[in-house]
Protein backbone atom coordinates (compact mmCIF):
# COMPACT_ATOMS: atom_id res chain seq x y z
CA UNK A 1 0.00 0.00 0.00
CA UNK A 2 1.16 3.52 -0.82
CA UNK A 3 0.32 6.29 1.64
CA UNK A 4 -0.23 9.40 -0.44
CA UNK A 5 -0.37 12.84 1.20
CA UNK A 6 -1.20 15.38 -1.52
CA UNK A 7 -3.85 17.67 -0.04
CA UNK A 8 -2.64 21.17 0.80
CA UNK A 9 -2.28 21.68 4.56
CA UNK A 10 -2.33 17.97 5.43
CA UNK A 11 0.36 16.75 7.85
CA UNK A 12 1.75 13.33 8.68
CA UNK A 13 3.09 12.65 12.18
CA UNK A 14 4.07 9.68 14.32
CA UNK A 15 1.71 8.14 16.85
CA UNK A 16 3.66 5.53 18.82
CA UNK A 17 4.23 2.75 16.25
CA UNK A 18 1.83 4.17 13.67
CA UNK A 19 1.19 7.31 11.65
CA UNK A 20 -1.47 9.92 12.16
CA UNK A 21 -2.81 12.08 9.32
CA UNK A 22 -4.13 15.49 10.30
CA UNK A 23 -6.41 17.47 7.97
CA UNK A 24 -8.85 20.29 8.44
CA UNK A 25 -11.55 17.65 8.98
CA UNK A 26 -9.77 15.78 11.78
CA UNK A 27 -7.20 13.08 12.50
CA UNK A 28 -6.83 9.53 11.23
CA UNK A 29 -4.44 6.92 12.61
CA UNK A 30 -2.76 4.59 10.07
CA UNK A 31 -0.77 1.49 11.17
CA UNK A 32 2.58 0.92 9.48
CA UNK A 33 1.73 -2.67 8.53
CA UNK A 34 1.39 -3.04 4.77
CA UNK A 35 2.70 0.44 3.89
CA UNK A 36 5.43 0.21 1.23
CA UNK A 37 5.97 3.89 0.53
CA UNK A 38 4.85 7.38 1.55
CA UNK A 39 4.41 10.09 -1.07
CA UNK A 40 4.39 13.74 -0.01
CA UNK A 41 3.31 16.44 -2.46
CA UNK A 42 3.81 20.21 -2.36
CA UNK A 43 1.78 21.89 0.35
CA UNK A 44 1.66 18.80 2.60
CA UNK A 45 3.95 18.20 5.58
CA UNK A 46 5.73 15.29 7.28
CA UNK A 47 7.47 15.51 10.65
CA UNK A 48 10.92 14.20 11.44
CA UNK A 49 9.34 11.70 13.87
CA UNK A 50 7.25 10.28 11.02
CA UNK A 51 10.31 10.12 8.77
CA UNK A 52 12.29 8.22 11.40
CA UNK A 53 9.44 5.75 11.89
CA UNK A 54 9.35 5.17 8.14
CA UNK A 55 13.10 4.52 8.13
CA UNK A 56 12.74 2.08 11.05
CA UNK A 57 10.01 0.15 9.19
CA UNK A 58 11.87 0.24 5.85
CA UNK A 59 9.19 2.44 4.25
CA UNK A 60 10.55 4.75 1.59
CA UNK A 61 9.48 8.41 1.66
CA UNK A 62 9.17 10.24 -1.66
CA UNK A 63 8.64 13.95 -2.23
CA UNK A 64 6.69 14.63 -5.43
CA UNK A 65 6.32 17.65 -7.71
CA UNK A 66 3.06 18.91 -9.23
CA UNK A 67 3.32 16.44 -12.10
CA UNK A 68 3.75 13.39 -9.88
CA UNK A 69 7.51 13.08 -10.46
CA UNK A 70 9.72 12.16 -7.48
CA UNK A 71 12.14 15.00 -6.68
CA UNK A 72 13.59 13.58 -3.47
CA UNK A 73 13.65 10.31 -1.56
CA UNK A 74 14.51 8.99 1.89
CA UNK A 75 15.07 5.27 2.36
CA UNK A 76 16.28 2.86 4.99
CA UNK A 77 20.04 2.27 5.36
CA UNK A 78 19.14 -1.43 5.22
CA UNK A 79 18.68 -0.95 1.47
CA UNK A 80 22.07 -1.42 0.02
CA UNK A 81 24.28 -2.93 -2.59
CA UNK A 82 27.11 -5.37 -2.57
CA UNK A 83 30.16 -4.09 -4.40
CA UNK A 84 29.87 -6.74 -7.10
CA UNK A 85 26.48 -5.36 -8.21
CA UNK A 86 27.76 -1.78 -8.58
CA UNK A 87 31.02 -2.90 -10.17
CA UNK A 88 29.16 -5.21 -12.52
CA UNK A 89 26.67 -2.46 -13.39
CA UNK A 90 29.46 -0.21 -14.66
CA UNK A 91 31.09 -3.02 -16.62
CA UNK A 92 27.74 -4.10 -18.02
CA UNK A 93 27.02 -0.60 -19.37
CA UNK A 94 29.94 -0.84 -21.79
CA UNK A 95 29.38 -4.45 -22.85
CA UNK A 96 27.78 -6.23 -25.79
CA UNK A 97 25.29 -7.66 -23.30
CA UNK A 98 24.06 -4.15 -22.48
CA UNK A 99 23.23 -3.59 -26.14
CA UNK A 100 21.21 -6.80 -26.25
CA UNK A 101 19.43 -5.86 -23.04
CA UNK A 102 18.39 -2.38 -24.17
CA UNK A 103 17.29 -3.79 -27.51
CA UNK A 104 15.08 -6.26 -25.62
CA UNK A 105 13.61 -3.40 -23.59
CA UNK A 106 12.61 -1.40 -26.67
CA UNK A 107 11.38 -4.50 -28.49
CA UNK A 108 9.18 -5.32 -25.49
CA UNK A 109 7.92 -1.72 -25.34
CA UNK A 110 6.85 -1.76 -28.98
CA UNK A 111 5.27 -5.19 -28.52
CA UNK A 112 3.25 -3.85 -25.60
CA UNK A 113 2.11 -0.92 -27.74
CA UNK A 114 0.93 -3.38 -30.39
CA UNK A 115 -1.05 -5.29 -27.76
CA UNK A 116 -2.74 -2.10 -26.53
CA UNK A 117 -3.77 -1.18 -30.07
CA UNK A 118 -5.12 -4.67 -30.72
CA UNK A 119 -7.22 -4.47 -27.55
CA UNK A 120 -9.02 -1.35 -28.76
CA UNK A 121 -12.52 -1.75 -30.17
CA UNK A 122 -12.59 -0.65 -33.82
CA UNK A 123 -16.09 0.58 -34.59
CA UNK A 124 -15.64 0.93 -38.37
CA UNK A 125 -13.74 -0.85 -41.11
CA UNK A 126 -11.66 2.28 -41.61
CA UNK A 127 -10.61 2.30 -37.94
CA UNK A 128 -9.74 -1.38 -38.14
CA UNK A 129 -7.70 -0.82 -41.30
CA UNK A 130 -5.75 2.06 -39.73
CA UNK A 131 -5.20 0.05 -36.56
CA UNK A 132 -3.79 -2.91 -38.51
CA UNK A 133 -1.57 -0.59 -40.53
CA UNK A 134 -0.14 0.92 -37.33
CA UNK A 135 0.47 -2.52 -35.80
CA UNK A 136 2.27 -3.64 -38.97
CA UNK A 137 4.41 -0.49 -39.03
CA UNK A 138 5.36 -1.09 -35.41
CA UNK A 139 6.31 -4.64 -36.33
CA UNK A 140 8.64 -3.27 -39.00
CA UNK A 141 10.48 -1.26 -36.35
CA UNK A 142 10.63 -4.24 -34.01
CA UNK A 143 12.26 -6.24 -36.80
CA UNK A 144 14.75 -3.45 -37.48
CA UNK A 145 15.77 -3.31 -33.83
CA UNK A 146 16.09 -7.10 -33.61
CA UNK A 147 18.44 -7.06 -36.62
CA UNK A 148 20.47 -4.05 -35.38
CA UNK A 149 24.04 -5.00 -34.52
CA UNK A 150 26.94 -3.33 -32.74
CA UNK A 151 29.57 -3.93 -30.09
CA UNK A 152 28.34 -1.44 -27.48
CA UNK A 153 25.27 0.75 -27.00
CA UNK A 154 27.10 3.92 -28.06
CA UNK A 155 27.59 2.43 -31.56
CA UNK A 156 23.86 2.43 -32.29
CA UNK A 157 22.31 4.73 -29.64
CA UNK A 158 21.19 7.48 -32.08
CA UNK A 159 19.55 4.88 -34.33
CA UNK A 160 17.81 3.20 -31.40
CA UNK A 161 16.49 6.52 -30.09
CA UNK A 162 15.28 7.51 -33.53
CA UNK A 163 13.43 4.26 -34.20
CA UNK A 164 11.94 4.23 -30.70
CA UNK A 165 10.70 7.80 -31.19
CA UNK A 166 9.10 7.05 -34.55
CA UNK A 167 7.43 3.93 -33.16
CA UNK A 168 5.95 5.94 -30.26
CA UNK A 169 4.63 8.55 -32.70
CA UNK A 170 2.94 5.82 -34.76
CA UNK A 171 1.42 4.37 -31.59
CA UNK A 172 0.02 7.64 -30.23
CA UNK A 173 -1.32 8.71 -33.61
CA UNK A 174 -3.17 5.41 -33.98
CA UNK A 175 -4.58 5.23 -30.48
CA UNK A 176 -6.24 8.63 -30.91
CA UNK A 177 -8.98 6.97 -32.94
CA UNK A 178 -10.18 5.12 -29.86
CA UNK A 179 -10.57 8.15 -27.62
CA UNK A 180 -13.69 10.31 -27.34
CA UNK A 181 -13.35 13.27 -29.67
CA UNK A 182 -12.99 15.82 -26.87
CA UNK A 183 -9.94 14.04 -25.45
CA UNK A 184 -7.90 13.58 -28.62
CA UNK A 185 -4.60 15.41 -28.98
CA UNK A 186 -2.27 16.14 -31.88
CA UNK A 187 1.02 15.28 -30.18
CA UNK A 188 2.58 14.29 -26.87
CA UNK A 189 3.30 17.30 -24.67
CA UNK A 190 5.43 17.15 -21.55
CA UNK A 191 6.45 19.65 -18.87
CA UNK A 192 3.87 21.03 -19.21
CA UNK A 193 0.97 19.21 -20.86
CA UNK A 194 -1.42 21.13 -23.08
CA UNK A 195 -4.43 18.82 -22.84
CA UNK A 196 -6.00 16.58 -20.22
CA UNK A 197 -4.87 13.32 -21.83
CA UNK A 198 -1.21 14.34 -21.70
CA UNK A 199 -1.62 15.73 -18.18
CA UNK A 200 -2.90 12.34 -17.03
CA UNK A 201 -0.16 10.46 -18.88
CA UNK A 202 2.59 12.70 -17.48
CA UNK A 203 1.35 12.36 -13.91
CA UNK A 204 0.92 8.60 -14.27
CA UNK A 205 4.43 8.21 -15.70
CA UNK A 206 5.74 10.26 -12.78
CA UNK A 207 4.18 7.79 -10.33
CA UNK A 208 5.67 4.90 -12.29
CA UNK A 209 9.13 6.55 -12.25
CA UNK A 210 8.96 6.58 -8.46
CA UNK A 211 7.94 2.90 -8.26
CA UNK A 212 10.78 1.81 -10.54
CA UNK A 213 13.44 3.95 -8.87
CA UNK A 214 12.46 2.48 -5.50
CA UNK A 215 12.59 -1.08 -6.86
CA UNK A 216 16.06 -0.47 -8.32
CA UNK A 217 17.38 0.95 -5.03
CA UNK A 218 15.96 -1.95 -3.01
CA UNK A 219 17.60 -4.39 -5.44
CA UNK A 220 20.98 -2.75 -4.80
CA UNK A 221 21.22 -1.05 -8.21
CA UNK A 222 22.41 2.52 -8.77
CA UNK A 223 19.55 4.21 -10.69
CA UNK A 224 21.93 7.00 -11.80
CA UNK A 225 23.95 4.71 -14.09
CA UNK A 226 21.95 4.21 -17.28
CA UNK A 227 22.46 2.26 -20.48
CA UNK A 228 20.68 4.05 -23.33
CA UNK A 229 19.83 7.09 -21.23
CA UNK A 230 23.10 8.08 -19.57
CA UNK A 231 23.85 11.66 -20.55
CA UNK A 232 21.53 13.50 -18.11
CA UNK A 233 23.60 14.86 -15.22
CA UNK A 234 22.38 13.97 -11.74
CA UNK A 235 19.26 12.19 -13.00
CA UNK A 236 18.15 8.58 -12.32
CA UNK A 237 18.72 7.64 -15.95
CA UNK A 238 18.45 3.87 -15.51
CA UNK A 239 14.82 4.48 -14.51
CA UNK A 240 14.27 6.01 -17.97
CA UNK A 241 15.55 2.77 -19.51
CA UNK A 242 13.54 0.33 -17.37
CA UNK A 243 10.27 2.28 -17.46
CA UNK A 244 9.87 1.64 -21.19
CA UNK A 245 8.82 -1.96 -20.49
CA UNK A 246 6.03 -0.91 -18.14
CA UNK A 247 4.90 2.43 -19.59
CA UNK A 248 1.83 0.95 -21.31
CA UNK A 249 0.34 0.12 -17.92
CA UNK A 250 -0.15 3.85 -17.39
CA UNK A 251 -1.45 4.21 -20.96
CA UNK A 252 -4.08 1.55 -20.34
CA UNK A 253 -5.32 3.14 -17.10
CA UNK A 254 -5.48 6.62 -18.64
CA UNK A 255 -7.24 5.40 -21.78
CA UNK A 256 -9.85 3.63 -19.64
CA UNK A 257 -10.52 6.78 -17.63
CA UNK A 258 -10.86 8.88 -20.78
CA UNK A 259 -12.97 6.31 -22.61
CA UNK A 260 -15.37 5.99 -19.70
CA UNK A 261 -15.81 9.78 -19.78
CA UNK A 262 -15.38 10.12 -16.03
CA UNK A 263 -13.08 13.11 -16.54
CA UNK A 264 -14.75 16.47 -15.92
CA UNK A 265 -13.54 20.07 -15.65
CA UNK A 266 -13.17 19.56 -11.89
CA UNK A 267 -10.25 17.22 -12.59
CA UNK A 268 -7.94 19.86 -14.06
CA UNK A 269 -7.25 23.53 -14.61
CA UNK A 270 -5.97 25.46 -17.63
CA UNK A 271 -3.35 28.14 -16.96
CA UNK A 272 -2.87 31.41 -18.84
CA UNK A 273 -0.17 29.86 -21.07
CA UNK A 274 -2.54 27.08 -22.12
CA UNK A 275 -0.89 24.40 -19.99
CA UNK A 276 -3.13 21.84 -18.27
CA UNK A 277 -2.56 20.72 -14.68
CA UNK A 278 -4.36 18.07 -12.64
CA UNK A 279 -6.27 19.32 -9.63
CA UNK A 280 -6.75 17.38 -6.39
CA UNK A 281 -9.75 15.38 -7.65
CA UNK A 282 -7.98 14.44 -10.88
CA UNK A 283 -4.84 13.36 -9.03
CA UNK A 284 -6.84 11.33 -6.52
CA UNK A 285 -8.82 9.44 -9.18
CA UNK A 286 -5.74 8.71 -11.28
CA UNK A 287 -3.65 7.59 -8.28
CA UNK A 288 -6.39 5.29 -7.02
CA UNK A 289 -7.01 3.83 -10.48
CA UNK A 290 -3.31 3.24 -11.09
CA UNK A 291 -2.78 1.74 -7.62
CA UNK A 292 -5.70 -0.65 -8.15
CA UNK A 293 -4.27 -1.68 -11.53
CA UNK A 294 -0.77 -2.19 -10.09
CA UNK A 295 -2.20 -4.40 -7.34
CA UNK A 296 -3.87 -6.78 -9.81
CA UNK A 297 -2.30 -10.23 -10.08
CA UNK A 298 -0.86 -11.09 -13.50
CA UNK A 299 1.38 -13.86 -14.83
CA UNK A 300 4.82 -13.05 -16.24
CA UNK A 301 7.33 -15.80 -16.97
CA UNK A 302 5.12 -18.28 -15.15
CA UNK A 303 4.95 -16.24 -11.91
CA UNK A 304 1.63 -14.93 -10.64
CA UNK A 305 2.29 -11.68 -8.81
CA UNK A 306 0.88 -8.16 -8.66
CA UNK A 307 2.12 -5.78 -11.33
CA UNK A 308 4.06 -3.83 -8.69
CA UNK A 309 5.74 -7.02 -7.50
CA UNK A 310 6.57 -7.93 -11.11
CA UNK A 311 8.51 -4.64 -11.35
CA UNK A 312 10.41 -5.53 -8.18
CA UNK A 313 11.20 -9.02 -9.49
CA UNK A 314 12.44 -7.57 -12.77
CA UNK A 315 14.81 -5.25 -10.91
CA UNK A 316 16.06 -8.11 -8.74
CA UNK A 317 16.80 -10.15 -11.87
CA UNK A 318 18.62 -7.16 -13.35
CA UNK A 319 20.72 -6.89 -10.20
CA UNK A 320 21.72 -10.53 -10.55
CA UNK A 321 22.67 -9.87 -14.17
CA UNK A 322 24.93 -7.02 -13.06
CA UNK A 323 26.34 -9.08 -10.20
CA UNK A 324 27.30 -11.91 -12.56
CA UNK A 325 29.31 -9.46 -14.68
CA UNK A 326 31.11 -8.07 -11.62
CA UNK A 327 32.20 -11.44 -10.23
Amino acid sequence: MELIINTYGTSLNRDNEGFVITTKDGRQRIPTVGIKSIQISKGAQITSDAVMLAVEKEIEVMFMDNQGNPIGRIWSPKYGSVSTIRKGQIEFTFSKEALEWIKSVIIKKIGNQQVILQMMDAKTDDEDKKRKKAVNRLEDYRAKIIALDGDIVADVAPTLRGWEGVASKIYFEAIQMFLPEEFRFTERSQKPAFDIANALLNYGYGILYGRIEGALIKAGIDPYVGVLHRDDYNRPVLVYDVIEIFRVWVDYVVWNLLSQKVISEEFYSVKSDGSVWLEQLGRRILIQSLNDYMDEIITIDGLQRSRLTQIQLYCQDLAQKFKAVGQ
Side-chain angles (χ1 to χ4, degrees):
M1 179 180 72
E2 282 69 42
L3 185 58
I4 299 169
I5 312 297
N6 62 3
T7 301
Y8 188 87
T10 300
S11 65
L12 183 68
N13 206 334
R14 178 173 185 165
D15 181 17
N16 294 319
E17 293 303 301
F19 297 109
V20 60
I21 301 174
T22 304
T23 68
K24 63 179 180 180
D25 298 318
R27 291 159 56 90
Q28 179 184 6
R29 191 179 187 281
I30 306 290
T32 59
V33 177
I35 298 178
K36 297 177 181 177
S37 70
I38 298 172
Q39 298 176 25
I40 307 292
S41 296
K42 185 178 181 181
Q45 301 175 359
I46 182 171
T47 67
S48 58
D49 286 346
V51 170
M52 286 188 280
L53 177 61
V55 170
E56 290 172 14
K57 301 297 183 179
E58 298 185 40
I59 301 170
E60 63 179 353
V61 180
M62 291 186 291
F63 298 91
M64 319 295 286
D65 66 15
N66 290 337
Q67 290 189 325
N69 297 300
I71 58 175
R73 182 186 300 268
I74 300 171
W75 66 83
S76 168
K78 295 180 182 178
Y79 301 165
S81 173
V82 295
S83 60
T84 49
I85 294 178
R86 296 294 178 98
K87 177 184 175 184
Q89 184 177 354
I90 298 296
E91 294 180 8
F92 178 88
T93 302
F94 299 98
S95 70
K96 173 77 171 181
E97 191 174 3
L99 175 57
E100 295 306 314
W101 174 74
I102 198 62
K103 283 173 56 179
S104 72
V105 167
I106 299 174
I107 289 165
K108 182 64 174 177
K109 173 187 178 180
I110 296 175
N112 288 340
Q113 291 172 335
Q114 290 174 304
V115 170
I116 290 290
L117 287 175
Q118 290 167 336
M119 291 173 59
M120 297 296 165
D121 181 25
K123 294 182 174 57
T124 66
D125 290 341
D126 184 56
E127 283 186 358
D128 188 50
K129 182 178 178 180
K130 290 179 179 178
R131 188 248 308 272
K132 289 178 179 177
K133 181 179 179 181
V135 169
N136 289 336
R137 291 182 67 195
L138 289 174
E139 185 61 30
D140 289 341
Y141 280 96
R142 284 185 77 249
K144 287 181 178 181
I145 294 170
I146 290 171
L148 188 64
D149 194 19
D151 292 324
I152 59 175
V153 174
D155 291 341
V156 297
T159 301
L160 273 175
R161 292 191 187 98
W163 287 348
E164 179 189 11
V166 173
S168 290
K169 186 176 181 180
I170 293 169
Y171 164 69
F172 280 112
E173 286 178 351
I175 209 168
Q176 298 301 312
M177 297 183 296
F178 305 103
L179 282 179
E181 186 71 33
E182 62 268 30
F183 297 133
R184 295 179 185 178
F185 56 91
T186 56
E187 61 181 0
R188 280 282 291 126
S189 56
Q190 307 174 46
K191 298 181 181 180
F194 288 98
D195 55 77
I196 182 57
N198 276 296
L200 289 166
L201 287 171
N202 294 344
Y203 201 91
Y205 293 153
I207 294 172
L208 189 56
Y209 282 131
R211 301 284 195 277
I212 292 172
E213 185 179 3
L216 289 170
I217 291 170
K218 289 179 181 179
I221 295 173
D222 186 345
Y224 288 81
V225 179
V227 176
L228 182 61
H229 300 88
R230 61 187 189 200
D231 297 328
D232 292 342
Y233 175 73
N234 203 27
R235 302 290 293 174
V237 286
L238 187 60
V239 178
Y240 307 156
D241 290 334
V242 175
I243 195 176
E244 301 300 349
I245 302 172
F246 307 103
R247 198 181 285 271
V248 291
W249 291 353
V250 173
D251 299 351
Y252 181 79
V253 170
V254 169
W255 253 250
N256 269 344
L257 289 174
L258 294 172
S259 297
Q260 293 167 11
K261 295 187 177 182
V262 299
I263 306 299
S264 68
E265 292 183 356
E266 299 175 89
F267 282 60
Y268 62 94
S269 60
V270 182
K271 306 303 181 184
S272 59
D273 62 354
S275 62
V276 176
W277 298 81
L278 293 185
E279 294 296 334
Q280 181 181 340
L281 179 60
R283 294 194 298 269
R284 185 168 73 244
I285 295 298
L286 176 59
I287 290 169
Q288 185 62 58
S289 299
L290 189 55
N291 283 345
D292 289 345
Y293 188 72
M294 297 289 279
D295 286 339
E296 287 182 2
I297 304 299
I298 61 171
T299 301
I300 296 180
D301 295 333
L303 289 175
Q304 287 191 327
R305 300 288 190 276
S306 70
R307 288 185 175 86
L308 183 58
T309 301
Q310 296 285 5
I311 291 175
Q312 295 166 349
L313 291 174
Y314 182 87
C315 292
Q316 290 169 13
D317 288 344
L318 189 58
Q320 292 306 308
K321 187 188 295 288
F322 294 159
K323 186 177 180 181
V325 174
Q327 289 177 337

